[in-house]
Amino acid sequence: MFGVALRSVRSRGSAFLATFLGMFAGAVILMSFASLLDTRNGNGISAADKDTLATMAMVIGSLALVIVTFAVFSTLTLTVRQRSAEMALLKSVGATPGQVSRMIVGEAAVLAVVAAVLAMPVAVLGGWGLLKMLGSSNRVAGDITYHFGPTAIGVGVGVTLIAGVAGAALTARRTVRMTVTESLTDASVGSARMSRKRVIAGWVFLAIGLDCGILTATLFKGKGLGTTQSVAGEAVIWSAIGMAVLSPALIRVVISALATPLRRLGGASGYLGVLNVRQRTQQMAGALTPIILFTALGSGTLYMQSIDNSLLAASGRAATGDDKGVETLNYVVVGVICVFAAIVLINSLVSATIYRRREFGQQRLVGSTPPQVLRMVSIEGVALILTGLVFGSIAGLVAVIPYSIARTDSVIPDTTIGIYLAVVAAVVVLTLGASVGAARRAIRIPAVEAVAA
């Protein structure tokens, strides 16, 4: 089956593109930060600079590790779900559950290794850029020699491979348990319910995030700036992951509340869009996950930094080295994680939309015009945007409100709404741009050819 996996990856490269790009971007991020640990072990580096490099690598690298692992798993799950009909065909011609599982895991392993290897040259540049940024902000000496070595390679290849194989194994376990009929149904409309384990996992992650938020407002009140932000950062990350895990249920709640206005907004296209979202909550969740992560991490981290900037300005004192260091860390977190979330979002939406070419062709054959198809996709995008913004914002508030209490004794921070509007604008542009753009490309194919493909 490993040979089948190799041939599958080679002959169906476009189907694995979203998963590959997610793994590639994740490996770049992980190796870039891990290379700071290789650099730390160089000669002639002061103890203070070694601590700074280690902090940068471990604090941000560990946050990136959680996000990257979860995002790779989510993207891989979406890819396997899109192939439910193929899995049903394999089982119908005699493939055993073990053979199907080994094929899925083998595909993920091949993608992970190739992605990690190709990511190395980019990661070398990324790690070098991080070191130069630290040097230019006087966080470390500017003459430190950059090293990219075994730590970076081991972390990048190891984590990418483990995340891919683990995600594939869990996804394969669900796939092989289905009968042929269930697999065909899943290929067309997906499952309407989440598993009990997924629901429990989602609530556990939310509880961890809420606990970190409570600790930020109580136990860490008045503590060091870096420590308080670190705990608050964990609050937003775990809350966002919890929301993402529960996303199929969350989008059902939102679409139930907004079904009537969305139908009125889009007419027949709105009706189809609402129906598609209701029937494809599992598939929609794959695109909803990066929206929630982007919104939560972007708004949460930027608002925490804005609170600190306001306090510093109000005090009238000059920023210290620690202040600048924490600010640098925050902007790096926002930049790196949000760029990664944006890449995953675009890949997921494009992959899911292009996969529906046959569906779009069928709609056009029964009378839908190309503009109506595009409006339907737009309505689906609006549902995703609203769901992601609402619950991503809630996840961000789990960190922002406790952090504001800890730093200012105020529940509502004295900051500008412009930060949130910028995050909203980015989500709208990325989501509608990717989904509508991919749909526009998909409907360029003649309807008869799309249905026959």
Side-chain angles (χ1 to χ4, degrees):
M1 294 306 293
F2 185 74
V4 174
L6 285 174
R7 289 191 292 273
S8 177
V9 172
R10 186 166 55 247
S11 62
R12 302 173 72 252
S14 59
F16 295 102
L17 183 60
T19 301
F20 172 79
L21 290 177
M23 290 179 172
F24 175 83
V28 169
I29 293 172
L30 293 171
M31 284 191 281
S32 295
F33 284 104
S35 67
L36 297 181
L37 295 177
D38 289 312
T39 302
R40 178 182 180 272
N41 296 326
N43 297 323
I45 301 178
S46 68
D49 287 348
K50 286 186 176 182
D51 289 342
T52 300
L53 291 172
T55 300
M56 192 77 172
M58 299 302 293
V59 174
I60 301 183
S62 61
L63 299 180
L65 172 62
V66 174
I67 299 299
V68 166
T69 301
F70 181 75
V72 168
F73 173 75
S74 177
T75 307
L76 187 61
T77 300
L78 175 64
T79 301
V80 175
R81 280 185 179 278
Q82 291 177 345
R83 300 169 60 202
S84 294
E86 177 186 335
M87 302 305 160
L89 178 62
L90 287 173
K91 287 185 281 188
S92 67
V93 297
T96 65
Q99 289 175 323
V100 175
S101 295
R102 288 194 293 274
M103 183 191 73
I104 294 174
V105 172
E107 291 169 348
V110 171
L111 288 173
V113 172
V114 173
V117 170
L118 294 179
M120 288 181 190
V122 182
V124 171
L125 295 177
W128 178 82
L130 287 173
L131 181 62
K132 291 302 179 183
M133 180 195 66
L134 292 174
S136 62
S137 61
N138 296 320
R139 294 297 298 159
V140 299
D143 58 351
I144 294 178
T145 302
Y146 176 68
H147 293 286
F148 186 92
T151 302
I153 296 173
V155 169
V157 176
V159 172
T160 305
L161 182 60
I162 292 172
V165 170
L170 291 174
T171 305
R173 184 180 179 186
R174 171 188 174 275
T175 301
V176 299
R177 286 181 173 180
M178 292 181 177
T179 64
V180 174
T181 302
E182 290 172 338
S183 295
L184 291 173
T185 302
D186 188 66
S188 58
V189 298
S191 174
R193 298 177 61 87
M194 294 188 299
S195 67
R196 181 177 300 178
K197 292 180 180 179
R198 179 167 182 165
V199 173
I200 293 174
W203 283 108
V204 168
F205 290 139
L206 286 176
I208 295 173
L210 184 60
D211 180 61
C212 290
I214 293 173
L215 291 174
T216 300
T218 56
L219 186 61
F220 289 90
K221 186 175 183 178
K223 301 294 184 181
L225 176 61
T227 303
T228 306
Q229 278 203 2
S230 177
V231 178
E234 291 186 22
V236 69
I237 287 175
W238 292 115
S239 298
I241 290 177
M243 293 291 188
V245 171
L246 297 174
S247 56
L250 301 182
I251 196 170
R252 281 197 293 270
V253 172
V254 172
I255 200 63
S256 297
L258 299 177
T260 299
L262 287 177
R263 289 194 191 105
R264 291 176 179 174
L265 177 65
S269 298
Y271 175 84
L272 288 175
V274 169
L275 184 63
N276 282 335
V277 173
R278 281 178 168 168
Q279 290 186 337
R280 299 173 180 271
T281 53
Q282 298 287 353
Q283 291 92 328
M284 293 291 179
L288 186 57
T289 293
I291 297 178
I292 292 175
L293 294 175
F294 185 97
T295 303
L297 292 170
S299 61
T301 308
L302 288 175
Y303 268 112
M304 287 191 290
Q305 184 58 50
S306 179
I307 291 171
D308 289 329
N309 291 343
S310 298
L311 286 174
L312 186 62
S315 68
R317 65 180 179 86
T320 65
D322 288 338
D323 292 330
K324 293 180 179 179
V326 172
E327 184 176 9
T328 301
L329 284 172
N330 283 335
Y331 288 140
V332 170
V333 168
V334 173
V336 171
I337 300 302
C338 286
V339 167
F340 177 73
I343 292 173
V344 174
L345 170 61
I346 293 172
N347 287 339
S348 299
L349 286 172
V350 171
S351 175
T353 305
I354 293 296
Y355 176 75
R356 297 170 62 188
R357 283 178 298 187
R358 190 170 187 272
E359 173 193 336
F360 295 157
Q362 291 173 332
Q363 290 179 356
R364 289 154 60 198
L365 287 177
V366 298
S368 293
T369 64
Q372 286 177 323
V373 173
L374 293 178
R375 281 198 298 272
M376 178 192 72
V377 174
S378 298
I379 293 296
E380 296 170 1
V382 169
L384 285 173
I385 290 169
L386 293 175
T387 306
L389 288 176
V390 168
F391 294 101
S393 300
I394 293 174
L397 289 174
V398 171
V400 173
I401 291 177
Y403 190 75
S404 180
I405 294 173
R407 299 285 290 158
T408 68
D409 290 322
S410 174
V411 173
I412 301 176
D414 183 20
T415 56
T416 174
I417 196 175
I419 294 174
Y420 185 70
L421 293 179
V423 172
V424 170
V427 169
V428 172
V429 170
L430 290 173
T431 303
L432 292 183
S435 58
V436 176
R440 192 182 301 276
R441 176 185 173 188
I443 61 176
R444 288 177 182 172
I445 302 174
V448 175
E449 293 182 16
V451 172

